[in-house]
PDB file of all heavy atoms in Angstrom:
ATOM      1  N   ILE Y 319      -2.235  12.753   5.349  1.00  0.00           N
ATOM      2  CA  ILE Y 319      -2.060  13.837   4.359  1.00  0.00           C
ATOM      3  C   ILE Y 319      -2.338  15.140   5.006  1.00  0.00           C
ATOM      4  O   ILE Y 319      -1.445  16.071   4.987  1.00  0.00           O
ATOM      5  CB  ILE Y 319      -2.948  13.625   3.177  1.00  0.00           C
ATOM      6  CG1 ILE Y 319      -2.512  12.444   2.321  1.00  0.00           C
ATOM      7  CG2 ILE Y 319      -2.894  14.900   2.203  1.00  0.00           C
ATOM      8  CD1 ILE Y 319      -3.452  12.021   1.224  1.00  0.00           C
ATOM      9  N   TYR Y 320      -3.491  15.213   5.641  1.00  0.00           N
ATOM     10  CA  TYR Y 320      -3.886  16.534   6.196  1.00  0.00           C
ATOM     11  C   TYR Y 320      -2.973  17.053   7.351  1.00  0.00           C
ATOM     12  O   TYR Y 320      -2.880  18.157   7.570  1.00  0.00           O
ATOM     13  CB  TYR Y 320      -5.353  16.423   6.649  1.00  0.00           C
ATOM     14  CG  TYR Y 320      -6.032  17.743   6.935  1.00  0.00           C
ATOM     15  CD1 TYR Y 320      -5.979  18.799   5.964  1.00  0.00           C
ATOM     16  CD2 TYR Y 320      -6.721  17.939   8.053  1.00  0.00           C
ATOM     17  CE1 TYR Y 320      -6.559  19.972   6.180  1.00  0.00           C
ATOM     18  CE2 TYR Y 320      -7.404  19.125   8.302  1.00  0.00           C
ATOM     19  CZ  TYR Y 320      -7.358  20.196   7.364  1.00  0.00           C
ATOM     20  OH  TYR Y 320      -7.999  21.391   7.544  1.00  0.00           O
ATOM     21  N   ALA Y 321      -2.392  16.041   8.019  1.00  0.00           N
ATOM     22  CA  ALA Y 321      -1.568  16.340   9.186  1.00  0.00           C
ATOM     23  C   ALA Y 321      -0.388  17.234   8.833  1.00  0.00           C
ATOM     24  O   ALA Y 321       0.033  17.949   9.673  1.00  0.00           O
ATOM     25  CB  ALA Y 321      -1.174  15.092   9.874  1.00  0.00           C
ATOM     26  N   HIS Y 322       0.117  17.067   7.651  1.00  0.00           N
ATOM     27  CA  HIS Y 322       1.324  17.829   7.361  1.00  0.00           C
ATOM     28  C   HIS Y 322       1.125  18.560   5.972  1.00  0.00           C
ATOM     29  O   HIS Y 322       2.100  19.017   5.370  1.00  0.00           O
ATOM     30  CB  HIS Y 322       2.535  16.927   7.293  1.00  0.00           C
ATOM     31  CG  HIS Y 322       2.527  15.923   6.178  1.00  0.00           C
ATOM     32  ND1 HIS Y 322       1.849  14.768   6.232  1.00  0.00           N
ATOM     33  CD2 HIS Y 322       3.031  15.957   4.898  1.00  0.00           C
ATOM     34  CE1 HIS Y 322       2.028  14.135   5.101  1.00  0.00           C
ATOM     35  NE2 HIS Y 322       2.703  14.745   4.262  1.00  0.00           N
ATOM     36  N   ALA Y 323      -0.069  18.761   5.558  1.00  0.00           N
ATOM     37  CA  ALA Y 323      -0.223  19.481   4.284  1.00  0.00           C
ATOM     38  C   ALA Y 323      -0.104  20.941   4.361  1.00  0.00           C
ATOM     39  O   ALA Y 323       0.293  21.599   3.402  1.00  0.00           O
ATOM     40  CB  ALA Y 323      -1.609  19.050   3.676  1.00  0.00           C
ATOM     41  N   PHE Y 324      -0.384  21.585   5.440  1.00  0.00           N
ATOM     42  CA  PHE Y 324      -0.426  23.029   5.614  1.00  0.00           C
ATOM     43  C   PHE Y 324       0.480  23.483   6.755  1.00  0.00           C
ATOM     44  O   PHE Y 324      -0.080  24.161   7.623  1.00  0.00           O
ATOM     45  CB  PHE Y 324      -1.864  23.549   5.692  1.00  0.00           C
ATOM     46  CG  PHE Y 324      -2.764  23.165   4.561  1.00  0.00           C
ATOM     47  CD1 PHE Y 324      -3.646  22.182   4.760  1.00  0.00           C
ATOM     48  CD2 PHE Y 324      -2.577  23.757   3.360  1.00  0.00           C
ATOM     49  CE1 PHE Y 324      -4.537  21.915   3.644  1.00  0.00           C
ATOM     50  CE2 PHE Y 324      -3.446  23.587   2.306  1.00  0.00           C
ATOM     51  CZ  PHE Y 324      -4.363  22.590   2.476  1.00  0.00           C
ATOM     52  N   PRO Y 325       1.729  23.358   6.638  1.00  0.00           N
ATOM     53  CA  PRO Y 325       2.528  23.887   7.754  1.00  0.00           C
ATOM     54  C   PRO Y 325       2.504  25.365   7.885  1.00  0.00           C
ATOM     55  O   PRO Y 325       2.738  25.888   8.974  1.00  0.00           O
ATOM     56  CB  PRO Y 325       3.983  23.381   7.427  1.00  0.00           C
ATOM     57  CG  PRO Y 325       3.965  23.156   5.989  1.00  0.00           C
ATOM     58  CD  PRO Y 325       2.540  22.634   5.636  1.00  0.00           C
ATOM     59  N   ASP Y 326       2.283  26.047   6.746  1.00  0.00           N
ATOM     60  CA  ASP Y 326       2.266  27.503   6.799  1.00  0.00           C
ATOM     61  C   ASP Y 326       0.892  28.085   7.440  1.00  0.00           C
ATOM     62  O   ASP Y 326       0.796  29.218   7.727  1.00  0.00           O
ATOM     63  CB  ASP Y 326       2.348  28.049   5.364  1.00  0.00           C
ATOM     64  CG  ASP Y 326       1.322  27.503   4.399  1.00  0.00           C
ATOM     65  OD1 ASP Y 326       0.956  26.326   4.571  1.00  0.00           O
ATOM     66  OD2 ASP Y 326       0.841  28.237   3.539  1.00  0.00           O
ATOM     67  N   LYS Y 327      -0.069  27.124   7.625  1.00  0.00           N
ATOM     68  CA  LYS Y 327      -1.361  27.552   8.235  1.00  0.00           C
ATOM     69  C   LYS Y 327      -1.463  27.035   9.703  1.00  0.00           C
ATOM     70  O   LYS Y 327      -2.554  27.108  10.320  1.00  0.00           O
ATOM     71  CB  LYS Y 327      -2.484  26.984   7.453  1.00  0.00           C
ATOM     72  CG  LYS Y 327      -2.496  27.591   5.974  1.00  0.00           C
ATOM     73  CD  LYS Y 327      -3.774  27.148   5.276  1.00  0.00           C
ATOM     74  CE  LYS Y 327      -3.748  27.679   3.861  1.00  0.00           C
ATOM     75  NZ  LYS Y 327      -3.779  29.105   3.745  1.00  0.00           N
ATOM     76  N   GLN Y 328      -0.326  26.606  10.289  1.00  0.00           N
ATOM     77  CA  GLN Y 328      -0.378  26.041  11.664  1.00  0.00           C
ATOM     78  C   GLN Y 328      -0.932  27.060  12.667  1.00  0.00           C
ATOM     79  O   GLN Y 328      -1.723  26.826  13.544  1.00  0.00           O
ATOM     80  CB  GLN Y 328       0.999  25.487  12.009  1.00  0.00           C
ATOM     81  CG  GLN Y 328       1.051  24.836  13.371  1.00  0.00           C
ATOM     82  CD  GLN Y 328       0.161  23.596  13.418  1.00  0.00           C
ATOM     83  OE1 GLN Y 328       0.270  22.707  12.602  1.00  0.00           O
ATOM     84  NE2 GLN Y 328      -0.673  23.500  14.388  1.00  0.00           N
ATOM     85  N   ASP Y 329      -0.389  28.306  12.511  1.00  0.00           N
ATOM     86  CA  ASP Y 329      -0.772  29.327  13.473  1.00  0.00           C
ATOM     87  C   ASP Y 329      -2.365  29.624  13.337  1.00  0.00           C
ATOM     88  O   ASP Y 329      -2.981  29.828  14.337  1.00  0.00           O
ATOM     89  CB  ASP Y 329      -0.043  30.642  13.113  1.00  0.00           C
ATOM     90  CG  ASP Y 329       1.480  30.628  13.565  1.00  0.00           C
ATOM     91  OD1 ASP Y 329       1.715  29.641  14.328  1.00  0.00           O
ATOM     92  OD2 ASP Y 329       2.231  31.285  13.024  1.00  0.00           O
ATOM     93  N   GLU Y 330      -2.791  29.594  12.094  1.00  0.00           N
ATOM     94  CA  GLU Y 330      -4.273  29.838  11.903  1.00  0.00           C
ATOM     95  C   GLU Y 330      -5.092  28.802  12.563  1.00  0.00           C
ATOM     96  O   GLU Y 330      -6.092  29.025  13.167  1.00  0.00           O
ATOM     97  CB  GLU Y 330      -4.516  29.879  10.399  1.00  0.00           C
ATOM     98  CG  GLU Y 330      -6.087  30.041  10.109  1.00  0.00           C
ATOM     99  CD  GLU Y 330      -6.329  29.911   8.549  1.00  0.00           C
ATOM    100  OE1 GLU Y 330      -5.480  30.147   7.767  1.00  0.00           O
ATOM    101  OE2 GLU Y 330      -7.511  29.464   8.256  1.00  0.00           O
ATOM    102  N   PHE Y 331      -4.646  27.478  12.447  1.00  0.00           N
ATOM    103  CA  PHE Y 331      -5.319  26.409  13.011  1.00  0.00           C
ATOM    104  C   PHE Y 331      -5.404  26.511  14.525  1.00  0.00           C
ATOM    105  O   PHE Y 331      -6.292  26.312  15.194  1.00  0.00           O
ATOM    106  CB  PHE Y 331      -4.789  25.087  12.599  1.00  0.00           C
ATOM    107  CG  PHE Y 331      -4.969  24.803  11.182  1.00  0.00           C
ATOM    108  CD1 PHE Y 331      -4.018  23.970  10.494  1.00  0.00           C
ATOM    109  CD2 PHE Y 331      -6.064  25.211  10.461  1.00  0.00           C
ATOM    110  CE1 PHE Y 331      -4.159  23.642   9.160  1.00  0.00           C
ATOM    111  CE2 PHE Y 331      -6.205  24.976   9.142  1.00  0.00           C
ATOM    112  CZ  PHE Y 331      -5.302  24.203   8.445  1.00  0.00           C
ATOM    113  N   SER Y 332      -4.170  26.914  15.090  1.00  0.00           N
ATOM    114  CA  SER Y 332      -4.033  26.975  16.466  1.00  0.00           C
ATOM    115  C   SER Y 332      -4.911  28.132  17.069  1.00  0.00           C
ATOM    116  O   SER Y 332      -5.528  28.070  18.112  1.00  0.00           O
ATOM    117  CB  SER Y 332      -2.545  27.252  16.893  1.00  0.00           C
ATOM    118  OG  SER Y 332      -1.800  26.210  16.476  1.00  0.00           O
ATOM    119  N   ASN Y 333      -4.982  29.280  16.312  1.00  0.00           N
ATOM    120  CA  ASN Y 333      -5.668  30.406  16.804  1.00  0.00           C
ATOM    121  C   ASN Y 333      -7.233  30.187  16.689  1.00  0.00           C
ATOM    122  O   ASN Y 333      -7.895  30.869  17.482  1.00  0.00           O
ATOM    123  CB  ASN Y 333      -5.326  31.638  15.872  1.00  0.00           C
ATOM    124  CG  ASN Y 333      -3.871  32.182  16.246  1.00  0.00           C
ATOM    125  OD1 ASN Y 333      -3.440  31.939  17.273  1.00  0.00           O
ATOM    126  ND2 ASN Y 333      -3.338  32.793  15.232  1.00  0.00           N
ATOM    127  N   ARG Y 334      -7.601  29.264  15.925  1.00  0.00           N
ATOM    128  CA  ARG Y 334      -9.106  29.018  15.893  1.00  0.00           C
ATOM    129  C   ARG Y 334      -9.602  28.508  17.252  1.00  0.00           C
ATOM    130  O   ARG Y 334     -10.616  29.022  17.676  1.00  0.00           O
ATOM    131  CB  ARG Y 334      -9.393  27.898  14.795  1.00  0.00           C
ATOM    132  CG  ARG Y 334      -9.294  28.410  13.393  1.00  0.00           C
ATOM    133  CD  ARG Y 334      -9.646  27.281  12.428  1.00  0.00           C
ATOM    134  NE  ARG Y 334      -9.534  27.687  11.066  1.00  0.00           N
ATOM    135  CZ  ARG Y 334      -9.828  26.854  10.020  1.00  0.00           C
ATOM    136  NH1 ARG Y 334     -10.251  25.582  10.289  1.00  0.00           N
ATOM    137  NH2 ARG Y 334      -9.600  27.324   8.782  1.00  0.00           N
TER     138      ARG Y 334
END
Side-chain angles (χ1 to χ4, degrees):
I319 291 170
Y320 195 47
H322 68 276
F324 298 107
D326 57 325
K327 297 184 183 295
Q328 184 62 50
D329 290 341
E330 177 186 335
F331 295 150
S332 299
N333 288 335
R334 285 183 185 179

